[in-house]
Amino acid sequence: MKISATFTLLSIFILPLCSTPAFSQSTSKSKIEEAYRQFEKDPALKNGTVSLTVLNANTGEPIFQQNQQVGLATASTMKIITAATAFDILGKDFKFKTNLYYTGSIQAGGVLHGDIIIEGSGDPTLGSNRYPESQEEQLLNKWIYTIQSAGIKEIQGRIIGDDSRYGGYQVPGGWIWSDIGNYYGAGVSSLNWRENAVGVVFNPNSTIGKPATIEKLTADLSYLKIVNEVSTGKNGSGDNVYAYSGPYASNIYIRGTYGLDLKKTIEISVPDPAYDVAFQLSKALSHVGIKTAEPPSNGKAIASTNIAKQLLDTHESPDLANIIYWFNQKSINLYGEALVKAIAYQTAQKTETNEGTSLIQKYWENKLQISSSELNNQDGSGLSPQNRVTTAAMAKIMQYAQSQSWFPEFYKSLPEYNNMKMKSGTINGALGYTGIHQNSSGEKFTFALLINNYSGSSSAMRKRMFTLLDVLK
C-alpha cells in the first residue's frame, strides 16, 4: 500500500510536468495556425506570397511552417544573416584599421617631397558621427596633429585617399538606379568616409510647385556639380526627394518634391568617398598653413603597390559588436556591404561582393546544411531586389545564433518592434520580420516572416503582420 500510494502521489506531480512542453507546443501550434489562416485570407495578399517559420528556440523543432522552402525577397532582414556570419567568422572584437602614411622624404624646413596617403581597409565607420572616436572633425584634427608632429610644414605632393584594396568604389550588382544616388544606396570601397553620404538642407518655397532651394550641404562638396530640380510639395506630402548619381560621377541630380512643412535633412550618397576624405584633409591642412602642391586624389593615383611608405598613424574602428549594433538598429546598408567584403578579404583575399556572398552561402551550407538555393543572397544589406532566401534558412540561422558566445551582442543589436526583438525589412513589394521572442508563459521562439507582392500600403500590412506575430506573445 505504501509503494502504491507513493507511486500515485509522485504521478500526480511528475506526469503533468513531463507533459507540459508537449502540451504547450501543441497549444502554440494551434494558435499560430489559426492566426495564420486568418492572415492569409487578407485580400491584400490575393496575389502575394507569405512564408512563416516558427521554431521552438530551446529545441529547434518546428512549431509552425508555411511556404518555408520558398525563396523570397528579404529586404533588410538579410542583415541578420550578414551579422551572424560576420560575428562567427570575424569575431565580435574584430576592428578595421586605417593607416596614414607619407612617401618620399622630409627635407630641411619641413618640406615633404612626397605624398600623404590615407590607406583604407574597409572601415564603414570612418568619419561617422555615430562614434565619438570616428567623427570627421575628430579624425581630421588627429591626422593634422600627427602630420605636424612629424615636422611636415609643406607638402610637395598631394593627399591620396587609397581605396585600392577592393578595386575602388563599387555598388553591388542588381541595385537599382533610383537607389544608388541616395544615402541608403551608397556604394562601398576600402576607404569609406562619413558613411559615404552628405546631408542636403532645403528651403521650401511658400508656393506649392515652386523650386525648393538648397540652403546648405553638411559637408563641402564644391568639387562636384549639384543640379537641383526639387520642387515644393504640399503640406504633409513629406520627403519625395531622390538623388541620381553613380560611382565617380561628377554631377549629382536631385529631383522630386520636398513638403512645405517638412523639417528634414535629406541624405544623399557621395560618388567618390576616397577622393572626398583626401579633399577634406587637404582643405583642413590648408587652414593650419600646410599647403599641398597638387590637388587631392583617390587610389587611382598610386601607380605601384610597392611604393615605400612611412607610417604616421593607425586608426582602429569600433569593434564589430558596436558596428553590428548600429547596422541592425539603423539598418545601414553600407555596413552590410562592408562586412561582406571584409568576410571575403579576411577569409580568402577576395574583394568582390559576389565572391563574399558566395563564401557566405558555402559557410552556412557547411555549418547548417543550408543549400545555396535556400540562401541566394546577392548582397549583405538586402537592398538588392534579386535576393531570395527562405524563412526556414533565416530562422535556422537565428536559432544557431542564440547558442553562440556573441549572442548577447547580437541580441542587443536587434531593434524592438511590437514589443518584440526582431529585424524588419522593407523594399518595394516586400516586407519581413525575423527575431527571437519569449512569451509570458516562458515559451521561446525564433521566427521569420516574409511577404512578397502584397497590395495596399506598407503601414497597413505591417499592422496585420504584428497582429499575426502577437500570437507568439
Side-chain angles (χ1 to χ4, degrees):
M1 289 294 292
K2 287 183 180 180
I3 294 174
S4 177
T6 303
F7 178 78
T8 303
L9 185 61
L10 288 173
S11 298
I12 292 171
F13 289 100
I14 293 174
L15 291 179
L17 288 173
C18 293
S19 63
T20 296
F23 175 78
S24 180
Q25 179 162 318
S26 175
T27 303
S28 295
K29 181 176 181 178
S30 63
K31 287 181 178 179
I32 297 168
E33 204 165 68
E34 182 181 351
Y36 182 87
R37 298 309 168 205
Q38 290 299 316
F39 179 74
E40 69 176 350
K41 292 176 183 177
D42 195 306
L45 298 171
K46 180 180 179 181
N47 303 116
T49 303
V50 183
S51 177
L52 173 63
T53 296
V54 180
L55 305 180
N56 181 318
N58 295 319
T59 67
E61 291 298 312
I63 295 176
F64 180 84
Q65 297 181 99
Q66 185 71 36
N67 293 328
Q68 72 274 13
Q69 295 298 337
V70 177
L72 296 174
T74 64
S76 283
T77 58
M78 175 64 74
K79 292 178 171 68
I80 289 299
I81 297 173
T82 304
T85 313
F87 267 132
D88 227 29
I89 292 178
L90 302 176
K92 65 182 182 181
D93 297 322
F94 174 82
K95 294 181 179 182
F96 294 90
K97 294 182 179 180
T98 302
N99 291 322
L100 185 72
Y101 296 102
Y102 73 86
T103 65
S105 59
I106 304 171
Q107 301 295 320
V111 178
L112 172 63
H113 290 273
D115 300 318
I116 297 290
I117 298 177
I118 309 163
E119 181 188 73
S121 68
D123 181 3
T125 73
L126 200 71
S128 170
N129 62 10
R130 299 182 202 279
Y131 313 88
E133 66 275 26
S134 296
Q135 291 180 2
E136 179 174 20
E137 185 177 1
Q138 175 82 4
L139 279 172
L140 292 176
N141 287 338
K142 175 187 175 185
W143 288 338
I144 290 169
Y145 175 79
T146 302
I147 291 167
Q148 290 174 324
S149 298
I152 298 171
K153 298 178 180 178
E154 182 183 337
I155 300 169
Q156 285 296 314
R158 57 189 155 187
I159 311 298
I160 300 173
D162 182 5
D163 59 351
S164 59
R165 176 176 289 190
Y166 296 162
Y169 187 56
Q170 302 173 356
V171 295
W175 282 19
I176 61 177
W177 172 242
S178 59
D179 285 341
I180 63 177
N182 304 287
Y183 79 95
Y184 56 85
V188 63
S189 79
S190 60
L191 185 57
N192 306 295
W193 181 244
R194 213 174 44 246
E195 295 184 358
N196 299 349
V198 66
V200 184
V201 179
F202 282 95
N203 184 16
N205 197 288
S206 57
T207 303
I208 306 302
K210 293 295 184 179
T213 58
I214 293 177
E215 184 177 312
K216 66 175 182 177
L217 302 182
T218 57
D220 181 4
L221 296 188
S222 55
Y223 57 88
L224 292 173
K225 181 181 180 181
I226 297 180
V227 182
N228 177 26
E229 299 175 356
V230 175
S231 60
T232 302
K234 64 181 181 180
N235 284 332
S237 61
D239 167 18
N240 292 290
V241 178
Y242 293 89
Y244 296 86
S245 68
Y248 305 112
S250 55
N251 295 343
I252 298 176
Y253 292 85
I254 311 180
R255 297 169 178 155
T257 61
Y258 184 94
L260 177 60
D261 57 345
L262 188 62
K263 304 293 182 184
K264 178 183 178 181
T265 298
I266 305 299
E267 299 283 333
I268 66 175
S269 65
V270 174
D272 189 351
Y275 177 88
D276 190 66
V277 62
F279 174 84
Q280 305 303 342
L281 180 56
S282 181
K283 179 182 172 182
L285 285 168
S286 177
H287 284 166
V288 298
I290 300 177
K291 304 297 183 182
T292 53
E294 298 179 40
S297 181
N298 57 29
K300 295 176 182 179
I302 300 175
S304 171
T305 57
N306 297 320
I307 187 170
K309 298 178 289 188
Q310 300 296 319
L311 182 65
L312 286 168
D313 178 72
T314 296
H315 170 77
E316 290 191 342
S317 74
D319 60 30
L320 184 68
N322 275 309
I323 293 172
I324 286 179
Y325 175 81
W326 286 110
F327 174 44
N328 282 330
Q329 285 285 319
K330 295 299 182 183
S331 211
I332 309 168
N333 293 331
L334 167 66
Y335 286 19
E337 305 320 317
L339 291 176
V340 166
K341 284 185 176 285
I343 289 166
Y345 189 82
Q346 295 295 325
T347 59
Q349 295 289 293
K350 303 290 187 181
T351 62
E352 296 296 324
T353 295
N354 62 350
E355 293 170 329
T357 54
S358 178
L359 285 166
I360 290 172
Q361 290 171 2
K362 290 175 182 176
Y363 183 79
W364 292 112
E365 185 170 11
N366 292 333
K367 179 74 70 172
L368 299 179
Q369 290 73 57
I370 296 172
S371 70
S372 58
S373 58
E374 293 179 84
L375 177 51
N376 185 5
N377 53 327
Q378 302 299 309
D379 62 17
S381 63
L383 187 60
S384 173
Q386 297 175 352
N387 287 309
R388 294 293 181 270
V389 179
T390 68
T391 58
M394 199 168 282
K396 204 171 183 180
I397 292 172
M398 182 69 75
Q399 184 77 20
Y400 168 84
Q402 64 173 346
S403 64
Q404 305 308 304
S405 62
W406 42 261
F407 180 70
E409 289 80 9
F410 177 82
Y411 184 78
K412 182 181 178 182
S413 78
L414 296 177
E416 188 169 302
Y417 300 101
N418 195 38
N419 296 316
M420 302 174 78
K421 291 284 277 186
M422 55 188 181
K423 184 74 190 78
S424 68
T426 306
I427 200 171
N428 288 342
L431 285 172
Y433 291 97
T434 182
I436 184 166
H437 182 73
Q438 183 168 323
N439 68 15
S440 56
S441 300
E443 295 175 294
K444 197 174 181 182
F445 310 98
T446 53
F447 63 90
L449 170 63
L450 293 176
I451 299 175
N452 281 192
N453 202 42
Y454 64 93
S455 59
S457 72
S458 58
S459 60
M461 182 52 67
R462 283 193 198 96
K463 290 179 181 177
R464 296 176 187 125
M465 293 170 78
F466 287 165
T467 301
L468 171 60
L469 292 174
D470 279 345
V471 76
L472 301 181
K473 292 181 178 178

